[in-house]
Coordinates of all heavy atoms in Angstrom, one line a residue:
M8 N -2.4 -17.6 -12.4 CA -3.7 -17.9 -12.8 C -4.5 -18.4 -11.6 O -4.1 -19.2 -10.8 CB -3.7 -19.0 -13.8 CG -5.1 -19.4 -14.4 SD -4.9 -20.7 -15.6 CE -5.4 -22.1 -14.6
K9 N -5.7 -17.8 -11.4 CA -6.6 -18.2 -10.3 C -7.3 -19.5 -10.6 O -7.9 -19.6 -11.6 CB -7.6 -17.0 -10.0 CG -8.4 -17.3 -8.8 CD -9.4 -16.1 -8.6 CE -10.2 -16.4 -7.4 NZ -11.3 -15.4 -7.3
V10 N -7.2 -20.4 -9.7 CA -7.9 -21.7 -9.8 C -9.2 -21.6 -9.0 O -9.2 -21.3 -7.9 CB -7.0 -22.9 -9.3 CG1 -7.8 -24.2 -9.4 CG2 -5.8 -22.9 -10.2
T11 N -10.3 -22.0 -9.6 CA -11.6 -22.0 -9.0 C -12.1 -23.4 -8.7 O -11.5 -24.4 -9.2 CB -12.7 -21.3 -9.8 OG1 -12.9 -22.1 -11.0 CG2 -12.2 -19.9 -10.3
W12 N -13.1 -23.5 -7.8 CA -13.6 -24.9 -7.5 C -14.2 -25.5 -8.8 O -14.2 -26.7 -9.0 CB -14.7 -24.8 -6.4 CG -14.1 -24.9 -5.1 CD1 -14.0 -23.9 -4.2 CD2 -13.4 -26.0 -4.5 NE1 -13.3 -24.3 -3.1 CE2 -12.9 -25.6 -3.3 CE3 -13.1 -27.3 -5.0 CZ2 -12.2 -26.4 -2.4 CZ3 -12.3 -28.1 -4.1 CH2 -11.9 -27.7 -2.9
S13 N -14.7 -24.6 -9.7 CA -15.2 -25.1 -11.0 C -14.1 -25.8 -11.8 O -14.4 -26.9 -12.4 CB -15.8 -24.0 -11.8 OG -16.0 -24.3 -13.1
D14 N -12.9 -25.2 -11.8 CA -11.8 -25.9 -12.4 C -11.5 -27.2 -11.8 O -11.2 -28.2 -12.5 CB -10.5 -25.0 -12.3 CG -10.7 -23.6 -13.0 OD1 -11.4 -23.6 -14.0 OD2 -10.1 -22.7 -12.5
V15 N -11.5 -27.3 -10.5 CA -11.2 -28.6 -9.8 C -12.3 -29.6 -10.2 O -12.0 -30.8 -10.5 CB -11.2 -28.3 -8.3 CG1 -11.0 -29.7 -7.6 CG2 -10.0 -27.4 -7.9
D16 N -13.5 -29.2 -10.2 CA -14.6 -30.1 -10.5 C -14.5 -30.6 -11.9 O -14.7 -31.8 -12.2 CB -16.0 -29.4 -10.4 CG -16.4 -29.3 -8.9 OD1 -15.8 -29.9 -8.0 OD2 -17.3 -28.4 -8.6
N17 N -14.1 -29.8 -12.8 CA -13.9 -30.2 -14.2 C -12.8 -31.2 -14.3 O -12.9 -32.2 -15.1 CB -13.6 -29.0 -15.1 CG -14.8 -28.1 -15.4 OD1 -15.9 -28.6 -15.2 ND2 -14.6 -26.9 -15.7
K18 N -11.7 -31.0 -13.6 CA -10.6 -31.9 -13.6 C -11.0 -33.3 -13.0 O -10.7 -34.4 -13.5 CB -9.4 -31.4 -12.9 CG -8.7 -30.2 -13.6 CD -8.0 -30.6 -14.8 CE -7.2 -29.5 -15.4 NZ -6.6 -29.8 -16.7
L19 N -11.7 -33.2 -11.9 CA -12.1 -34.4 -11.2 C -13.1 -35.2 -12.1 O -13.1 -36.5 -12.0 CB -12.8 -34.1 -9.9 CG -11.8 -33.6 -8.8 CD1 -12.6 -33.2 -7.6 CD2 -10.9 -34.7 -8.4
S20 N -13.8 -34.6 -12.9 CA -14.7 -35.3 -13.8 C -14.0 -36.2 -14.8 O -14.6 -37.1 -15.4 CB -15.7 -34.4 -14.5 OG -15.0 -33.6 -15.5
L21 N -12.7 -35.9 -15.0 CA -11.9 -36.7 -16.0 C -11.1 -37.8 -15.4 O -10.6 -38.7 -16.1 CB -10.9 -35.7 -16.7 CG -11.5 -34.6 -17.5 CD1 -10.4 -33.7 -18.0 CD2 -12.3 -35.1 -18.6
V22 N -11.0 -37.9 -14.1 CA -10.3 -39.0 -13.5 C -11.2 -40.2 -13.3 O -12.4 -40.0 -13.1 CB -9.6 -38.6 -12.2 CG1 -8.6 -37.5 -12.4 CG2 -10.6 -38.3 -11.1
R23 N -10.6 -41.3 -13.3 CA -11.4 -42.6 -13.0 C -10.7 -43.3 -11.8 O -9.5 -43.2 -11.7 CB -11.4 -43.5 -14.2 CG -12.1 -42.9 -15.4 CD -13.6 -42.8 -15.2 NE -14.3 -42.2 -16.4 CZ -14.6 -40.9 -16.5 NH1 -14.2 -40.1 -15.5 NH2 -15.2 -40.4 -17.5
T24 N -11.4 -44.0 -11.1 CA -10.8 -44.8 -10.0 C -11.3 -46.2 -10.1 O -12.4 -46.5 -10.5 CB -11.2 -44.3 -8.6 OG1 -12.6 -44.2 -8.5 CG2 -10.6 -42.9 -8.3
R25 N -10.4 -47.1 -9.8 CA -10.7 -48.5 -9.7 C -10.6 -48.9 -8.2 O -9.5 -48.9 -7.7 CB -9.7 -49.4 -10.6 CG -10.1 -50.8 -10.6 CD -9.4 -51.6 -11.7 NE -9.7 -53.0 -11.6 CZ -8.8 -54.0 -11.6 NH1 -7.5 -53.7 -11.7 NH2 -9.2 -55.2 -11.6
I26 N -11.7 -49.1 -7.6 CA -11.7 -49.2 -6.2 C -11.4 -50.6 -5.7 O -12.0 -51.6 -6.1 CB -13.1 -48.8 -5.7 CG1 -13.5 -47.4 -6.1 CG2 -13.2 -48.9 -4.2 CD1 -14.9 -47.0 -6.0
H27 N -10.4 -50.7 -4.8 CA -10.1 -51.9 -4.1 C -11.0 -52.1 -2.9 O -11.4 -51.1 -2.3 CB -8.6 -51.9 -3.7 CG -8.1 -53.3 -3.3 ND1 -8.1 -53.7 -2.0 CD2 -7.6 -54.3 -4.1 CE1 -7.6 -55.0 -2.0 NE2 -7.2 -55.3 -3.2
R28 N -11.3 -53.4 -2.6 CA -12.2 -53.6 -1.4 C -11.6 -53.2 -0.1 O -12.3 -52.9 0.9 CB -12.5 -55.1 -1.4 CG -11.4 -56.0 -1.1 CD -11.8 -57.5 -1.1 NE -10.7 -58.4 -0.7 CZ -9.6 -58.7 -1.5 NH1 -9.6 -58.1 -2.7 NH2 -8.7 -59.5 -1.1
T29 N -10.2 -53.1 -0.1 CA -9.6 -52.7 1.2 C -9.3 -51.2 1.1 O -8.6 -50.7 0.2 CB -8.3 -53.4 1.4 OG1 -8.6 -54.8 1.4 CG2 -7.6 -53.1 2.7
A30 N -9.7 -50.4 2.1 CA -9.5 -49.0 2.1 C -8.0 -48.7 2.2 O -7.3 -49.3 3.0 CB -10.2 -48.4 3.3
H31 N -7.5 -47.8 1.4 CA -6.1 -47.4 1.4 C -5.9 -46.3 2.4 O -4.7 -45.9 2.7 CB -5.6 -47.0 0.0 CG -6.2 -45.8 -0.5 ND1 -7.5 -45.7 -1.0 CD2 -5.6 -44.6 -0.8 CE1 -7.7 -44.5 -1.5 NE2 -6.6 -43.8 -1.3
I32 N -7.0 -45.7 2.9 CA -6.9 -44.6 3.9 C -7.8 -45.1 5.0 O -9.0 -45.3 4.8 CB -7.3 -43.3 3.4 CG1 -6.3 -42.8 2.3 CG2 -7.2 -42.2 4.6 CD1 -6.7 -41.5 1.6
V33 N -7.3 -45.1 6.2 CA -8.2 -45.5 7.4 C -8.2 -44.3 8.3 O -7.1 -43.7 8.6 CB -7.7 -46.7 8.1 CG1 -8.5 -47.0 9.3 CG2 -7.7 -47.9 7.1
V34 N -9.3 -43.8 8.7 CA -9.5 -42.7 9.6 C -10.0 -43.1 10.9 O -11.0 -43.8 11.0 CB -10.4 -41.6 8.9 CG1 -10.5 -40.4 9.8 CG2 -9.8 -41.2 7.6
D35 N -9.3 -42.7 12.0 CA -9.8 -43.0 13.3 C -10.8 -41.9 13.7 O -10.5 -40.8 14.1 CB -8.6 -42.9 14.3 CG -8.9 -43.2 15.7 OD1 -10.1 -43.2 16.1 OD2 -8.0 -43.4 16.5
S36 N -12.1 -42.3 13.6 CA -13.2 -41.4 13.9 C -13.2 -40.9 15.3 O -13.7 -39.8 15.6 CB -14.5 -42.0 13.5 OG -14.7 -43.2 14.3
S37 N -12.6 -41.6 16.2 CA -12.7 -41.1 17.6 C -11.8 -39.9 17.8 O -12.1 -39.0 18.6 CB -12.2 -42.2 18.6 OG -10.8 -42.5 18.4
K38 N -10.8 -39.7 16.9 CA -10.0 -38.5 17.0 C -10.7 -37.4 16.2 O -10.5 -36.2 16.6 CB -8.6 -38.8 16.4 CG -7.8 -39.7 17.2 CD -6.4 -40.0 16.7 CE -5.6 -40.9 17.7 NZ -4.4 -41.4 17.2
C39 N -11.4 -37.7 15.2 CA -12.2 -36.7 14.5 C -13.2 -36.1 15.4 O -13.5 -34.9 15.3 CB -12.9 -37.3 13.2 SG -11.7 -38.0 12.1
E40 N -13.8 -36.8 16.3 CA -14.9 -36.3 17.2 C -14.4 -35.2 18.1 O -15.2 -34.4 18.5 CB -15.4 -37.5 18.0 CG -16.3 -38.4 17.2 CD -16.8 -39.6 18.0 OE1 -16.7 -39.6 19.2 OE2 -17.4 -40.5 17.3
V41 N -13.1 -35.2 18.4 CA -12.5 -34.1 19.2 C -11.6 -33.2 18.5 O -10.8 -32.4 19.1 CB -11.9 -34.7 20.5 CG1 -12.9 -35.4 21.3 CG2 -10.7 -35.7 20.1
C42 N -11.6 -33.3 17.2 CA -10.7 -32.5 16.3 C -11.1 -31.0 16.4 O -12.2 -30.6 16.3 CB -10.8 -32.9 14.9 SG -9.7 -32.0 13.8
P43 N -10.1 -30.1 16.6 CA -10.4 -28.7 16.8 C -10.6 -27.9 15.5 O -11.0 -26.8 15.5 CB -9.2 -28.2 17.6 CG -8.0 -29.1 17.1 CD -8.7 -30.4 16.9
H44 N -10.2 -28.5 14.3 CA -10.3 -27.7 13.1 C -10.9 -28.4 11.9 O -11.3 -27.8 11.0 CB -8.9 -27.3 12.7 CG -7.8 -28.3 12.8 ND1 -7.9 -29.4 11.9 CD2 -6.8 -28.5 13.6 CE1 -6.9 -30.2 12.2 NE2 -6.2 -29.7 13.2
E45 N -10.9 -29.7 11.9 CA -11.5 -30.5 10.7 C -10.8 -30.0 9.4 O -11.5 -29.8 8.4 CB -13.0 -30.4 10.7 CG -13.7 -30.9 11.9 CD -15.1 -30.7 12.0 OE1 -15.7 -29.9 11.2 OE2 -15.8 -31.2 12.9
A46 N -9.5 -29.9 9.4 CA -8.8 -29.4 8.2 C -9.0 -30.2 7.0 O -9.0 -29.7 5.9 CB -7.3 -29.2 8.6
C47 N -9.2 -31.5 7.2 CA -9.3 -32.4 6.0 C -10.5 -32.1 5.2 O -10.5 -32.2 4.0 CB -9.4 -33.8 6.5 SG -10.8 -34.0 7.7
V48 N -11.6 -31.6 5.8 CA -12.8 -31.2 5.1 C -12.5 -30.1 4.1 O -13.1 -30.1 3.0 CB -13.9 -30.8 6.1 CG1 -15.2 -30.4 5.4 CG2 -14.2 -32.0 7.1
Y49 N -11.7 -29.2 4.5 CA -11.4 -28.0 3.7 C -10.2 -28.3 2.7 O -10.1 -27.7 1.6 CB -11.0 -26.8 4.5 CG -12.1 -26.5 5.5 CD1 -11.9 -26.9 6.9 CD2 -13.2 -25.9 5.2 CE1 -12.9 -26.7 7.8 CE2 -14.2 -25.6 6.1 CZ -14.1 -26.0 7.4 OH -15.1 -25.8 8.3
G50 N -9.4 -29.3 3.0 CA -8.2 -29.5 2.2 C -8.4 -30.6 1.1 O -7.7 -30.6 0.1
C51 N -9.3 -31.5 1.3 CA -9.4 -32.6 0.3 C -10.1 -32.1 -0.9 O -11.2 -31.7 -0.9 CB -10.2 -33.8 0.9 SG -10.5 -35.1 -0.3
P52 N -9.4 -32.2 -2.1 CA -10.0 -31.7 -3.3 C -11.1 -32.6 -3.9 O -11.9 -32.1 -4.7 CB -8.8 -31.7 -4.3 CG -7.9 -32.8 -3.8 CD -8.0 -32.7 -2.3
A53 N -11.2 -33.8 -3.4 CA -12.2 -34.7 -3.9 C -13.4 -34.9 -3.0 O -14.2 -35.8 -3.2 CB -11.5 -36.1 -4.1
T54 N -13.4 -34.0 -2.0 CA -14.5 -34.0 -1.0 C -14.8 -35.4 -0.4 O -15.9 -35.8 -0.2 CB -15.8 -33.4 -1.5 OG1 -16.3 -34.2 -2.6 CG2 -15.6 -32.0 -1.9
C55 N -13.7 -36.1 -0.1 CA -13.8 -37.4 0.5 C -14.2 -37.3 2.0 O -14.8 -38.2 2.6 CB -12.5 -38.2 0.5 SG -12.1 -38.7 -1.2
Y56 N -13.9 -36.1 2.6 CA -14.3 -35.8 4.0 C -15.4 -34.8 3.9 O -15.3 -33.8 3.3 CB -13.1 -35.2 4.7 CG -11.9 -36.1 4.9 CD1 -10.9 -36.2 3.9 CD2 -11.7 -36.8 6.0 CE1 -9.8 -37.0 4.0 CE2 -10.6 -37.6 6.2 CZ -9.6 -37.7 5.2 OH -8.5 -38.5 5.3
R57 N -16.5 -35.2 4.6 CA -17.7 -34.3 4.7 C -18.2 -34.3 6.1 O -18.1 -35.3 6.8 CB -18.8 -34.8 3.8 CG -18.4 -34.8 2.3 CD -19.5 -35.5 1.5 NE -19.1 -35.6 0.1 CZ -19.7 -35.0 -0.9 NH1 -20.7 -34.2 -0.6 NH2 -19.3 -35.2 -2.1
V58 N -18.8 -33.1 6.5 CA -19.4 -33.0 7.8 C -20.9 -33.4 7.5 O -21.6 -32.7 6.8 CB -19.3 -31.6 8.3 CG1 -20.1 -31.6 9.7 CG2 -17.8 -31.3 8.6
I59 N -21.3 -34.5 8.2 CA -22.7 -34.9 8.1 C -23.3 -35.1 9.5 O -22.7 -35.8 10.3 CB -22.8 -36.3 7.3 CG1 -22.3 -36.1 5.9 CG2 -24.3 -36.8 7.3 CD1 -22.1 -37.4 5.1
D60 N -24.3 -34.4 9.7 CA -25.0 -34.4 11.1 C -23.9 -34.0 12.2 O -23.9 -34.6 13.2 CB -25.6 -35.7 11.4 CG -26.8 -36.1 10.5 OD1 -27.4 -35.1 10.0 OD2 -27.0 -37.2 10.2
G61 N -23.1 -33.1 11.8 CA -22.1 -32.6 12.8 C -20.9 -33.4 13.0 O -20.0 -33.1 13.8
K62 N -20.8 -34.5 12.2 CA -19.6 -35.4 12.4 C -18.9 -35.5 11.1 O -19.5 -35.5 10.0 CB -20.0 -36.8 12.9 CG -20.6 -36.8 14.3 CD -20.9 -38.2 14.7 CE -21.4 -38.2 16.2 NZ -21.7 -39.6 16.7
V63 N -17.5 -35.6 11.1 CA -16.8 -35.8 9.9 C -16.9 -37.3 9.5 O -16.6 -38.2 10.2 CB -15.3 -35.5 10.2 CG1 -14.4 -35.8 9.0 CG2 -15.1 -34.0 10.5
K64 N -17.3 -37.4 8.2 CA -17.4 -38.7 7.6 C -16.4 -38.9 6.5 O -16.2 -37.9 5.8 CB -18.8 -39.0 7.1 CG -19.9 -38.8 8.1 CD -19.9 -40.0 9.1 CE -21.1 -39.8 10.1 NZ -21.0 -40.9 11.2
F65 N -15.9 -40.0 6.3 CA -14.9 -40.2 5.3 C -15.3 -41.4 4.3 O -15.7 -42.4 4.8 CB -13.5 -40.6 5.9 CG -12.5 -41.0 4.9 CD1 -11.9 -40.0 4.0 CD2 -12.0 -42.3 4.8 CE1 -11.0 -40.3 3.1 CE2 -11.0 -42.6 3.9 CZ -10.5 -41.6 3.0
A66 N -15.1 -41.2 3.0 CA -15.2 -42.2 2.0 C -14.1 -42.2 1.1 O -13.8 -41.2 0.5 CB -16.6 -42.0 1.3
Y67 N -13.4 -43.3 0.9 CA -12.1 -43.3 0.2 C -12.3 -43.6 -1.3 O -11.4 -43.4 -2.1 CB -11.2 -44.4 0.7 CG -11.6 -45.9 0.5 CD1 -11.2 -46.6 -0.6 CD2 -12.5 -46.5 1.4 CE1 -11.6 -47.9 -0.8 CE2 -12.9 -47.8 1.2 CZ -12.4 -48.5 0.1 OH -12.8 -49.8 -0.1
D68 N -13.5 -43.8 -1.8 CA -13.7 -44.3 -3.2 C -13.4 -43.2 -4.2 O -13.1 -43.5 -5.3 CB -15.1 -44.9 -3.4 CG -16.2 -44.0 -2.9 OD1 -16.0 -43.1 -2.1 OD2 -17.4 -44.3 -3.3
G69 N -13.5 -41.9 -3.9 CA -13.2 -40.9 -4.9 C -11.8 -40.3 -4.7 O -11.5 -39.3 -5.4
C70 N -11.0 -40.9 -3.9 CA -9.7 -40.3 -3.5 C -8.8 -40.2 -4.8 O -8.7 -41.1 -5.6 CB -9.0 -41.2 -2.5 SG -7.4 -40.7 -2.1
V71 N -8.1 -39.1 -4.9 CA -7.2 -38.9 -6.0 C -5.7 -39.1 -5.6 O -4.8 -38.7 -6.3 CB -7.3 -37.5 -6.7 CG1 -8.7 -37.4 -7.3 CG2 -7.1 -36.4 -5.7
E72 N -5.5 -39.6 -4.3 CA -4.2 -39.9 -3.8 C -3.2 -38.8 -3.8 O -2.0 -38.9 -4.0 CB -3.6 -41.1 -4.6 CG -4.5 -42.3 -4.5 CD -4.1 -43.4 -5.5 OE1 -2.9 -43.5 -5.9 OE2 -5.0 -44.2 -6.0
C73 N -3.7 -37.6 -3.4 CA -2.8 -36.4 -3.3 C -2.0 -36.4 -2.1 O -1.0 -35.7 -2.0 CB -3.6 -35.1 -3.5 SG -4.8 -34.8 -2.2
G74 N -2.5 -37.0 -1.0 CA -1.8 -37.0 0.3 C -2.1 -35.8 1.2 O -1.6 -35.7 2.3
T75 N -3.0 -34.9 0.7 CA -3.2 -33.7 1.5 C -3.8 -34.0 2.9 O -3.3 -33.4 3.9 CB -4.3 -32.9 0.7 OG1 -3.7 -32.5 -0.6 CG2 -4.6 -31.6 1.5
C76 N -4.7 -34.9 3.0 CA -5.3 -35.2 4.3 C -4.2 -35.8 5.3 O -4.2 -35.5 6.5 CB -6.4 -36.2 4.2 SG -6.0 -37.8 3.4
D77 N -3.3 -36.6 4.8 CA -2.2 -37.1 5.6 C -1.3 -36.0 6.1 O -0.9 -36.1 7.3 CB -1.4 -38.1 4.8 CG -0.6 -39.0 5.6 OD1 -0.9 -39.2 6.8 OD2 0.5 -39.5 5.1
V78 N -1.1 -35.0 5.3 CA -0.3 -33.9 5.7 C -1.0 -33.0 6.7 O -0.5 -32.5 7.7 CB 0.3 -33.1 4.5 CG1 1.0 -31.8 4.9 CG2 1.2 -34.0 3.7
M79 N -2.3 -32.7 6.4 CA -3.0 -31.7 7.1 C -3.5 -32.2 8.5 O -3.7 -31.4 9.4 CB -4.3 -31.3 6.3 CG -3.9 -30.5 5.1 SD -5.4 -29.8 4.3 CE -5.7 -28.3 5.2
C80 N -3.7 -33.5 8.6 CA -4.2 -34.0 9.9 C -3.1 -34.1 10.9 O -2.2 -34.9 10.8 CB -4.9 -35.4 9.7 SG -5.5 -36.0 11.3
D81 N -3.2 -33.2 11.9 CA -2.1 -33.2 12.9 C -2.6 -33.9 14.2 O -2.0 -33.8 15.3 CB -1.7 -31.7 13.3 CG -2.9 -30.9 13.7 OD1 -4.0 -31.4 13.8 OD2 -2.7 -29.7 14.0
Q82 N -3.7 -34.6 14.1 CA -4.3 -35.3 15.2 C -3.9 -36.8 15.2 O -4.4 -37.6 16.1 CB -5.8 -35.2 15.2 CG -6.3 -33.8 15.1 CD -5.9 -32.9 16.3 OE1 -6.2 -33.3 17.4 NE2 -5.3 -31.8 16.0
G83 N -3.2 -37.3 14.2 CA -2.8 -38.7 14.1 C -4.0 -39.6 13.7 O -3.9 -40.8 14.0
A84 N -5.0 -39.1 13.1 CA -6.2 -39.9 12.8 C -6.1 -40.6 11.4 O -6.8 -41.5 11.2 CB -7.4 -39.0 12.7
V85 N -5.2 -40.2 10.6 CA -5.1 -40.7 9.2 C -4.0 -41.8 9.1 O -2.8 -41.5 9.3 CB -4.9 -39.6 8.2 CG1 -4.8 -40.2 6.8 CG2 -6.1 -38.6 8.3
T86 N -4.4 -43.0 8.6 CA -3.4 -44.0 8.2 C -3.5 -44.1 6.7 O -4.5 -44.5 6.2 CB -3.7 -45.3 8.9 OG1 -3.6 -45.1 10.3 CG2 -2.6 -46.3 8.6
W87 N -2.4 -43.8 6.0 CA -2.4 -43.6 4.6 C -1.5 -44.6 3.9 O -0.3 -44.6 4.2 CB -2.0 -42.2 4.3 CG -2.5 -41.5 3.0 CD1 -3.4 -40.6 2.9 CD2 -2.0 -41.8 1.7 NE1 -3.6 -40.2 1.6 CE2 -2.7 -40.9 0.8 CE3 -1.0 -42.7 1.1 CZ2 -2.5 -40.9 -0.5 CZ3 -0.8 -42.7 -0.2 CH2 -1.6 -41.8 -1.1
T88 N -1.9 -45.3 2.9 CA -1.1 -46.1 2.0 C -1.6 -46.0 0.6 O -2.8 -45.6 0.4 CB -1.1 -47.6 2.5 OG1 -2.5 -48.0 2.5 CG2 -0.5 -47.8 3.8
Y89 N -0.8 -46.3 -0.4 CA -1.3 -46.4 -1.7 C -2.1 -47.7 -1.9 O -1.8 -48.7 -1.3 CB -0.1 -46.4 -2.7 CG 0.5 -45.0 -3.0 CD1 1.7 -44.7 -2.5 CD2 -0.2 -44.1 -3.7 CE1 2.3 -43.5 -2.7 CE2 0.3 -42.8 -3.9 CZ 1.6 -42.5 -3.4 OH 2.1 -41.3 -3.6
P90 N -3.1 -47.6 -2.8 CA -3.8 -48.8 -3.1 C -2.9 -49.8 -3.8 O -1.8 -49.5 -4.3 CB -4.9 -48.4 -4.1 CG -5.0 -46.9 -4.0 CD -3.6 -46.4 -3.5
P91 N -3.3 -51.1 -3.8 CA -2.5 -52.1 -4.5 C -2.3 -51.8 -6.0 O -3.2 -51.1 -6.5 CB -3.2 -53.4 -4.3 CG -4.2 -53.2 -3.2 CD -4.5 -51.7 -3.2
G92 N -1.3 -52.3 -6.6 CA -1.1 -52.1 -8.1 C -2.3 -52.4 -8.9 O -3.0 -53.4 -8.7
G93 N -2.6 -51.5 -9.8 CA -3.8 -51.7 -10.7 C -5.1 -51.1 -10.1 O -6.1 -51.0 -10.8
F94 N -5.0 -50.6 -8.9 CA -6.2 -50.0 -8.3 C -5.9 -48.6 -7.9 O -4.8 -48.1 -8.0 CB -6.6 -50.8 -7.0 CG -7.1 -52.1 -7.2 CD1 -6.3 -53.2 -7.3 CD2 -8.5 -52.3 -7.4 CE1 -6.8 -54.5 -7.6 CE2 -9.0 -53.6 -7.7 CZ -8.1 -54.7 -7.8
G95 N -7.0 -47.8 -7.6 CA -6.8 -46.4 -7.3 C -7.1 -45.5 -8.4 O -7.8 -45.9 -9.4
V96 N -6.6 -44.3 -8.4 CA -6.9 -43.3 -9.4 C -6.2 -43.5 -10.7 O -5.0 -44.0 -10.7 CB -6.7 -41.9 -8.8 CG1 -5.2 -41.7 -8.6 CG2 -7.3 -40.8 -9.6
L97 N -6.9 -43.2 -11.8 CA -6.3 -43.2 -13.1 C -6.3 -41.8 -13.7 O -7.4 -41.3 -13.8 CB -7.0 -44.2 -14.0 CG -7.2 -45.6 -13.5 CD1 -8.2 -46.3 -14.4 CD2 -5.9 -46.3 -13.5
Y98 N -5.1 -41.3 -14.1 CA -5.1 -39.9 -14.6 C -5.0 -39.8 -16.1 O -4.7 -38.8 -16.6 CB -3.9 -39.2 -13.9 CG -4.1 -38.8 -12.5 CD1 -3.5 -39.4 -11.5 CD2 -5.0 -37.7 -12.2 CE1 -3.7 -39.1 -10.2 CE2 -5.2 -37.4 -10.9 CZ -4.5 -38.1 -9.9 OH -4.7 -37.7 -8.6
R99 N -5.1 -40.9 -16.8 CA -4.8 -41.0 -18.2 C -5.7 -40.1 -19.0 O -5.3 -39.7 -20.2 CB -4.9 -42.4 -18.7 CG -6.3 -42.9 -18.6 CD -6.4 -44.4 -19.1 NE -7.7 -44.9 -18.9 CZ -8.1 -46.1 -19.1 NH1 -7.1 -47.0 -19.3 NH2 -9.3 -46.5 -18.9
L100 N -6.8 -39.6 -18.6 CA -7.7 -38.8 -19.4 C -7.4 -37.3 -19.2 O -8.0 -36.5 -19.9 CB -9.2 -39.0 -19.0 CG -9.7 -40.4 -19.2 CD1 -11.1 -40.5 -18.8 CD2 -9.6 -40.7 -20.7
L101 N -6.5 -36.9 -18.3 CA -6.2 -35.5 -18.1 C -5.3 -34.9 -19.2 O -4.5 -35.7 -19.8 CB -5.5 -35.3 -16.8 CG -6.4 -35.5 -15.6 CD1 -5.6 -35.2 -14.3 CD2 -7.6 -34.6 -15.6
Ligands
SF4_205 S1 -8.1 -33.2 10.5 FE1 -7.7 -35.4 11.1 S2 -8.7 -35.6 13.2 FE2 -9.4 -33.7 12.2 S3 -11.4 -34.3 11.3 FE3 -9.8 -34.5 9.7 S4 -9.0 -36.6 9.8 FE4 -10.2 -36.2 11.7
SF4_206 S1 -5.4 -38.3 -0.4 FE1 -6.2 -36.4 -1.2 S2 -8.0 -36.9 -2.3 FE2 -7.5 -38.7 -1.0 S3 -8.7 -38.4 0.8 FE3 -6.7 -37.5 1.2 S4 -7.0 -35.3 0.6 FE4 -8.7 -36.4 -0.3

């Protein structure tokens, strides 16, 4: 079955997140500035990584904790941990 971006958007509309004040993903922007591919922008299903004014910007609040960015970033820019218990993404509506 072919999965489209519309399917992904529909699924994402069903998840909820409880955001903790401490970021569970920290991105070293100095490494992003010299990144040769910006793979995270294409790999993150929740569009947490976006190119704005020519620079990669990251916001963790919509993260679905898939780990894709941690795997795809080969520049060592991503420090990834799960949010504390009770925080983060909730999949109960799927
Ligand atoms: S792949 Fe890594 S270094 Fe490149 S833009 Fe994304 S987070 Fe930054
Ligand atoms: S863990 Fe997944 S959803 Fe969260 S920022 Fe990384 S790629 Fe995006």
Side-chain angles (χ1 to χ4, degrees):
M8 185 180 98
K9 184 179 177 186
V10 177
T11 67
W12 275 112
S13 164
D14 297 327
V15 175
D16 286 343
N17 287 339
K18 291 291 187 189
L19 287 174
S20 72
L21 296 175
V22 301
R23 298 288 179 268
T24 54
R25 186 166 176 229
I26 301 166
H27 193 268
R28 66 183 183 285
T29 304
H31 66 290
I32 300 172
V33 177
V34 178
D35 182 346
S36 60
S37 68
K38 292 181 176 168
C39 301
E40 287 176 10
V41 294
C42 180
H44 48 65
E45 299 173 351
C47 55
V48 175
Y49 305 100
C51 176
T54 61
C55 294
Y56 295 84
R57 294 171 188 249
V58 177
I59 299 173
D60 295 332
K62 294 185 176 180
V63 173
K64 303 290 184 184
F65 173 70
Y67 68 94
D68 51 343
C70 175
V71 296
E72 299 168 30
C73 64
T75 302
C76 57
D77 195 25
V78 173
M79 292 186 84
C80 179
D81 58 2
Q82 308 297 306
V85 176
T86 303
W87 205 107
T88 53
Y89 281 108
F94 290 90
V96 68
L97 305 171
Y98 285 107
R99 65 183 175 190
L100 297 177
L101 291 181

